[in-house]
């Protein structure tokens, strides 16, 4: 870092520090947050990481957005129409949305966001040269870049190859943010660290692995119900402390305004086994919990065409069902999660998702006797003759998986727990390189189709996220039928049929549906509470 940059950075940090300590004549507010995992990019075309999604949500906007009830509401598109055949979407754009200032705009002043910017942004997602991790959004739904049309500056059209009922929900994903062509093309791959969007906060500084600073966008277009321009905060400052205990101590010292989730290493200190705040911390901060669209599960490869599956006992349906019945999920949630979760007694679609109905989808309850009977029927009475099964997980979920290991041992299923790094496990799973693995599926958008797509046969590796190799003709027919169903209730009924089919065939063990756990300092208000655990800071107020 040269001396000039160093001096500028120190000046900024002093200013932000002053904002945090708040002298009497200061009215600046800085929201302090810690991101335990480093960011790999701030380019929305690569926002696959949860924390990247959080930060991109501050800097960028899309056509539509979701509210806390997970309903699609206007954003840059003030209104839209869908053709009767479900193939043409017409969006009418606001005329008061401007990109953040950047030297590569004329005069260095951010220009108006136009329909042609969405043509460029969406075309960029499916451009193989860009290799966006979000290419799946459009890749099988449109016929190339010609599907995106801007007849004028305020009208944007999308032509689909076939109807897709959850399409509007899908467009709320941060991948679908609008970016300016001239800025992106100037920076190229370095746009990852020079993000320019239209969002409530604008990029200021990022020293990777140490600090990220966003400043208030004074030209932001959204206003509150009283006509006051958003956001209320003056800045967002993110640190990257990897150790969760250290970040919690920073929160206790009030150096952080927000903490996401409670790590197992200090969970018992904060929460009772029933999920209440302990006496030690009662009244010290705001604790919010709610259903989180995140299914925690065990995946099992079931495609017998794969060499790795041919000798695996997991290819046998009754073995998979026995595993499902063998696990006491209620006990697991209470003692290992301090009741922060809901036992996975229903299907793969999680609690909190619109259309979720635990009574209509029959999953697996705890029944060790039935598990033993199924194991015997599969030819392995009390586990005799059953080879040891390797179960892969990451270090963060070791205690949970060792609990599962103990439960399976009780019915005669011997397992070895293999601990690996998250990136390595994801790579193995994405290449069908492991028979039995721990996983989680966090909603990309709030529609059950996103979860069921994990079992659609055309989404098998390497074409999609069907990590278990599940293949069922009836399931596929129902899945494709949902494309045509506009009525939400009718579509949800089809989702429930498909989820029941998945449960019957048991390519997964649904352990639990997660709960978001958000801790805020007591002087923070206006925060969002939504099933996607999406960080929304534009309405946050910080008092002193």
């Amino acid at each position: 870092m040269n001396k000039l940059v160093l001096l500028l950075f120190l000046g900024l940090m002093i200013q932000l520090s002053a904002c945090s300590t708040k002298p009497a004549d200061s009215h600046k507010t800085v929201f302090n947050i810690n991101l335990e995992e480093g960011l790999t990019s701030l380019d929305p075309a690569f926002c696959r990481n949860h924390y990247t999604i959080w930060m991109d949500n501050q800097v960028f906007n899309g056509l539509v957005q979701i509210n806390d009830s997970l309903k699609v509401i206007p954003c840059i598109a003030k209104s839209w129409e869908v053709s009767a055949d479900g193939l043409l979407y017409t969006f009418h754009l606001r005329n008061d949305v401007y990109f953040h200032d950047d030297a590569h705009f004329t005069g260095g002043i951010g220009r108006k966001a136009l329909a042609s910017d969405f043509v460029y942004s969406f075309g960029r997602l499916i451009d193989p040269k860009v290799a966006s991790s979000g290419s799946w959004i459009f890749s099988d739904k449109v016929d190339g870049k010609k599907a995106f049309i801007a007849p004028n500056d305020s009208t944007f059209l999308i032509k689909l190859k076939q109807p897709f009922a959850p399409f509007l929900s899908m467009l709320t994903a941060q991948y679908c943010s609008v970016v300016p062509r001239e800025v992106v093309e100037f920076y190229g791959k370095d746009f990852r660290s020079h993000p320019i969007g239209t969002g409530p906060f604008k990029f200021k500084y990022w020293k990777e692995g140490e600090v990220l600073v966003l400043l208030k966008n004074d030209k932001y277009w959204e206003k509150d119900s009283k006509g006051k321009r958003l956001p209320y905060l003056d800045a967002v400052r993110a640190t990257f402390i990897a150790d969760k205990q250290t970040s919690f101590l920073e929160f206790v010292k009030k150096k952080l305004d927000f903490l996401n989730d409670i790590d197992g290493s200090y969970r018992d200190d904060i929460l009772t086994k029933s999920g209440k705040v302990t006496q030690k911390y009662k009244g010290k901060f705001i604790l919010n919990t709610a259903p989180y669209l995140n299914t925690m599960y065990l995946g099992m490869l079931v495609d017998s065409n794969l060499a790795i599956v041919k000798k695996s006992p997991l290819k046998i349906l009754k073995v998979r069902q026995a595993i499902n019945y063998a696990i006491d999920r209620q006990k697991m949630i209470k003692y290992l999660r301090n009741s922060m979760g809901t036992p996975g007694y229903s299907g793969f679609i999680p609690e909190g998702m619109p259309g979720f109905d635990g009574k209509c989808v029959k999953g697996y309850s705890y029944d060790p006797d039935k598990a033993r009977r199924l194991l015997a029927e599969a030819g392995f009475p009390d586990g005799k003759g059953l080879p040891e099964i390797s179960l892969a997980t990451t270090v963060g979920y070791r205690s949970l998986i060792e609990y599962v290991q103990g439960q399976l041992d009780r019915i005669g299923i011997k397992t070895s727990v293999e601990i690996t790094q998250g990136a390595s496990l994801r790579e193995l799973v994405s290449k069908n390189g492991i028979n039995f693995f721990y996983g989680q599926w966090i909603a990309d958008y709030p529609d059950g189709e996103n979860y069921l797509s994990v079992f659609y046969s055309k989404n098998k590796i390497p074409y999609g996220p069907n990590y278990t190799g599940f293949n069922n003709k009836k399931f596929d027919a129902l899945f494709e039928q949902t494309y045509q169903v506009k009525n939400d209730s009718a579509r949800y009924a089809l989702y429930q049929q498909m989820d029941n089919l998945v449960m019957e065939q048991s390519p997964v063990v649904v352990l639990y549906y997660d709960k978001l756990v958000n801790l805020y300092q007591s002087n923070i208000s206006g925060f969002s509470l939504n099933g996607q655990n999406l960080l929304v800071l534009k309405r946050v107020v910080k008092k002193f």
Side-chain angles (χ1 to χ4, degrees), residues 61-80:
N61 292 130
L63 289 168
V64 289
Q65 59 188 324
I66 58 167
N67 62 15
D68 281 2
S69 299
L70 302 180
K71 299 294 184 184
V72 177
I73 60 174
C75 193
I76 294 178
K78 60 185 178 181
S79 62
W80 54 85

Side-chain angles (χ1 to χ4, degrees), residues 34 36 241-256 258-263 265-271 278 280-281 284-285 519 521:
N34 184 63
E36 285 135 3
I241 302 169
D243 184 74
K244 294 187 177 184
Q245 284 189 327
T246 303
S247 61
F248 175 64
L249 289 174
E250 291 291 286
F251 179 78
V252 171
K253 294 175 186 174
K254 300 189 184 300
K255 291 184 179 180
L256 294 175
F258 167 81
L259 198 67
N260 178 60
D261 206 3
I262 299 174
D263 188 64
S265 59
Y266 54 82
R267 191 180 289 124
D268 286 340
D269 192 40
I270 299 175
L271 296 175
T278 58
K280 178 179 178 180
Y281 290 106
K284 299 287 181 65
F285 47 74
L519 276 61
Q521 299 294 356

Side-chain angles (χ1 to χ4, degrees), residues 411-425:
I411 67 162
I413 297 178
K414 302 296 181 183
T415 58
S416 60
V417 175
E418 183 179 335
I419 306 297
T420 186
Q421 292 184 336
S424 299
L425 180 58

Side-chain angles (χ1 to χ4, degrees), residues 243-389:
D243 184 74
K244 294 187 177 184
Q245 284 189 327
T246 303
S247 61
F248 175 64
L249 289 174
E250 291 291 286
F251 179 78
V252 171
K253 294 175 186 174
K254 300 189 184 300
K255 291 184 179 180
L256 294 175
D257 295 303
F258 167 81
L259 198 67
N260 178 60
D261 206 3
I262 299 174
D263 188 64
S265 59
Y266 54 82
R267 191 180 289 124
D268 286 340
D269 192 40
I270 299 175
L271 296 175
T272 65
K273 293 301 182 186
S274 60
K276 306 296 182 183
V277 176
T278 58
Q279 196 63 39
K280 178 179 178 180
Y281 290 106
K282 191 168 288 187
K284 299 287 181 65
F285 47 74
I286 300 168
L287 170 68
N288 277 330
T289 66
Y292 175 25
L293 301 184
N294 182 19
T295 296
M296 316 300 276
Y297 71 98
L298 304 178
M300 296 174 277
L301 269 182
V302 296
D303 184 355
S304 295
N305 294 315
L306 297 170
I308 193 176
V309 177
K310 291 186 185 299
K311 294 182 179 180
S312 169
L314 297 176
K315 70 180 180 182
I316 303 169
L317 173 60
K318 289 185 177 181
V319 171
R320 300 196 301 270
Q321 291 175 329
I323 290 172
N324 263 289
Y325 280 117
I327 301 168
D328 188 341
R329 296 162 175 80
Q330 186 74 47
K331 185 178 178 181
M332 177 183 68
I333 292 296
K334 182 175 182 179
Y335 292 103
L336 295 180
R337 295 284 303 169
N338 295 71
S339 301
M340 290 296 109
T342 302
Y345 293 144
S346 190
F348 196 68
I349 296 175
E351 181 185 36
M353 179 67 78
F356 173 86
D357 189 335
K359 295 179 180 179
C360 291
V361 180
K362 184 173 176 54
Y364 292 86
S365 56
Y366 178 51
D367 192 339
D369 291 334
K370 190 167 186 177
R372 292 186 185 94
R373 286 199 303 273
L374 284 164
L375 204 57
E377 290 170 12
F380 307 107
D382 297 321
K384 292 176 182 177
L386 185 70
E388 184 177 81
I389 303 170

